[in-house]
Amino acid sequence: MAKKYLLGIDLGTSSTKSALFTIDGEKIAEAAAEVPIYYPKPGTVEQNDDDFYTTAVYAIKKTIVSSGIDPKEIAAIAFDSQMAGIGMIDENYDPAAKFDSWLDMRCQPYIDLMEKECGDLITQVTGNPPTCDHGSKILYWKNEHPEIYKKVAKFIVPTAYVAGRIAGLKPEDAFIDYTYIHFSGFADNKKMCWSEELCDRFSIDREKLPKIVKPWDIIGEVTEESAAVSGLAPGTIIAAGAGDTAANALGAGIVKPGMLLDVAGTAAILAGCTDRYVADTKHRALLSMRSIIPGLWNPLAYIGGGGIALNWFKDQFYCTNRKNSLPDDDQLYSEMTELSGKIPPGADGLFFSPHLGGRICPSNSSMRGAWVGVSWSHTQAHFFRSILESIAFEYAYYLSILKELIPDLKLVETRVAGGGAKSALWNQIKADILDVPYQRLQRKELGTWGIAMVAGKAAGVIDDLAEHAIATNKILGDAFIPDEQNVRIYHSL
């Protein structure tokens, strides 16, 4: 039977999404399931690895059933997932503890320790300054919960946990693909291996670290048991997959130096595309992620919960004005955006810090949310616009560092993804502040398509990922072109 389809599954922070595509990128069916997030106490954010697995098999089965296709026609599957959090498995491939979310800040003392001990070395070798990621989290578990650390067979990311369960892997087969390793704290990013120097410096047992693989490496096949619960055909190829930002970048066609990707989602992420490795040892803000495409890099930085700030304002401030039943979120955001669009650039001197959970890039847990410059004349519309502008101001800081590291890099276009991409006002604000055209795409499911292409590469039905990404992408409408007057206003701010 001909293999006509590819299945991509995005293991997000709050939801799991599955989508089935033809080889040339036409979406046939999709499904989603919510993933619980737990906040047991301030600063602690946990999830369950088993929730990633159960929502994945549910979404996969629902996708296949709604598509009406024979699952034997699926050439391969692959997963992407949230990137900076880390899970732990024991000798049975079962969770050894709760999944330590990228939003969890219990590891802050170990971020400080890594910075103090050898911050420059970590930044240079991993491409990532000490921050809230695998390295500091592993040290937290090693030092604060030694009884759990002792039980850990491997530290793994959600893609490896779910793919491993579906493939029936053993702990010694556990893996991490190279798009995650800048977040590892202990990997040599350029050499694509674990750094003996860093592991020895912090007394990390390298036996607890998974093998590093390429995104399209085949890690196993769907077992009979997994087929029964997921609806997949036994023997279906499973690719290693990639991090969600890397999958989004590929799905958006960010495959040429000078292109930018703005993921306007739960985390507000700005990623570039370069043909050289850079390490931000000076500012400790940019993270040098490997692109899925060999030879390319995606230096990026992000605001933890940047998108959540909009929802927080809606629930805690804007909705308090509503006396009757509330419309859906889309209508509420439209109302807030319409009002904010009448406010001049700069929000009449009102500024917002979007770091409600602490700043991630560079790491500073004490830098929190704040409004500065509040006056009698400021309205709710000013406050909301200041939030929109704050994300773009932070992005401008990231780009200033990238330009400092690669002065000859010419920025040509930003492609925007995520729920925030729907806002024309926000896209224009970002275009004006960054002085780079903003472009929306017709395709909404960038992550699932990006990782489905990786599955296609593993199955041998896609040869050149970069060419395929370009060929299967179409822009939506006209670009948001920077307004010269607004560029000047924002530049002074």
Side-chain angles (χ1 to χ4, degrees), residues 257-259 406-413:
M259 299 180 77
I406 310 178
D408 59 340
L409 182 66
K410 290 182 171 51
L411 302 177
V412 294
E413 175 187 76

Side-chain angles (χ1 to χ4, degrees), residues 30 36 69 106 144 215 245 255 260 266 272 275 300 374 409 474 477 484 491:
E30 64 182 350
I69 69 148
R106 286 175 292 177
E144 304 295 328
T245 303
V255 295
L260 300 171
T266 304
D275 57 5
L300 65 94
V374 182
L409 182 66
K474 295 181 180 179
E484 291 185 11
H491 183 72

